[in-house]
Amino acid sequence: MNTTPDTFTDIDAASLVSRLRRTHHSGRTKPLAWRRQQLTQLRALLTENRAVIADALWADLRKNPTEVDQMEIDVTILEIDDYLEHLENWLTPEPAEVAVGHLPIGTAAHTEFDPLGVALILSAWNYPIYLLLTPVAGALAAGNAVIIKPSELAAQTSALLGRLVPAYLDTDAVAVVEGGVAQTRSLLAQRFDHIFYTGNGAVGRIVMRAAAENLTPVTLELGGKSPVFVDRDTDLAVVAGRIAATKFANAGQTCVAPDYVLTDPDTAHALSAAMARAVEELFGTDPQASSKYGRIINEHHFNRLTALMVSGRTTLGGQSNRGDKYIAPTVLMDVAPDEPVMQEEIFGPILPILTVTDLTEAIAFINDRDKPLAVYAFTNDETTRKRLGVSGILCKSVGVIGC
Ligand code: NAD
């Protein structure tokens, strides 16, 4: 089913959910063969439509096609392939341990893996293919009917999915509902068997409250301010290159992007200079002209971000262009902890570098605030790494340690 966003009401939502529930009750979605076929079709949707997906993401976020291939399409395919490879094994019933006294003597228990029913998947706009279709793959693999609600902010991608999903997936069991807050609210007024939401915490609370009405289990993938600790002994050219690559990808609109840096005053100055060189290496002297550099999703977020740029002192970037929704890769120094840029997740290409005297102060600073989504450390010191609770060496990824 494809819906017309503006006319989708509570009544439509109720009838859509009951139609999908009937399909689920009929047993159609339960067999392994159906699940595998849907996953294979979802895979085909991605592989056969790379070019139109890239066009939609260019229109929504000016995301470059290589990034779309890697960070939207290929990562989703990897998940689908994982399900296809392991699903049969995962569905095999397992012996279950039961506390002595809970079963009559001589009996045994086992766990069977049953679909939940009808799942609702609500997603954010920043990686609008990956964030949406990965949980869809999981729900289908688990034998559920699914209602998919793409983010209205990535409008071109939402419209594309509204066309492609019914062309590839079982329309009796999978539906896309396009639209905005009103449509999401109509869906949330219904009873689901699982709700998977990716987005900000304020809406996360709305989702959880609605789910509580029906005691529906929820998965919430939310945001946070992810700090980066930079130690004295690091190679700052490498550090800056890695921070710039992860912070400024998708114009900073990545949930686990480094949000701010904590380091000592000497390193802060040297890092700021190294960031300028790293940004030039990535995007040239004019990032606005680079096909590798993205745009802010809409005017609301453009206004929100440019208002944050008044904090501290700008040592790199600072330029913006409203018509183009462009904000330059920006570094801020001398930022006080009570300034606006430190009050909320930045979710854009602005990097404050704050100074601390030592690791103890950095840890206290992090602990005084909301729990971050991720913490990154650049250090060669095993004790520092352990004290920050950073667990692995992922030198080519965003969690970068030991440079
Ligand atoms: P968004 O505004 O697109 O919202 C997501 C969904 O919520 C949409 O379908 C939208 O229709 C719905 N929605 C919005 N306002 C609503 C309301 N008032 N009532 C009911 N429904 C409403 O996405 P966003 O929140 O701007 O996404 C960015 C956030 O998502 C950031 O905080 C980011 O860190 C987080 N995020 C987290 C992850 C993760 O995996 N943890 C991944 C990506 C993004």
Side-chain angles (χ1 to χ4, degrees), residues 227-248 258-280 313 315-316 330-333 351-356 376-378 403:
V228 182
F229 177 74
V230 180
D231 216 344
R232 289 176 188 277
D233 60 349
T234 52
D235 179 340
L236 289 182
V238 174
V239 173
R242 289 175 183 170
I243 293 178
T246 49
K247 173 71 183 182
F248 300 124
D259 190 277
Y260 63 96
V261 171
L262 292 173
T263 191
D264 64 274
D266 291 342
T267 308
H269 282 99
L271 179 64
S272 167
M275 288 297 298
R277 290 188 290 273
V279 165
E280 189 172 332
R313 179 170 59 89
T315 56
L316 175 68
T330 294
V331 173
L332 305 176
M333 300 264 291
L351 181 76
I353 301 179
L354 283 85
T355 55
V356 284
Y376 304 109
F378 289 88
C403 307

Side-chain angles (χ1 to χ4, degrees), residues 122-127 131 149-153 179-181 184-185 188 197-201 203 206-207 221-224 254-256 301 345 347 373:
L122 304 161
S123 194
W125 46 267
N126 56 327
Y127 289 84
L131 293 176
K149 165 68 185 64
S151 172
E152 68 277 19
L153 270 57
V181 174
T184 310
R185 284 187 184 275
L188 287 173
Y197 167 79
T198 306
N200 68 75
V203 177
I206 294 172
V207 170
E221 288 284 355
L222 307 177
T254 302
C255 59
V256 287
H301 283 284
E345 179 187 9
F347 216 57
L373 198 55

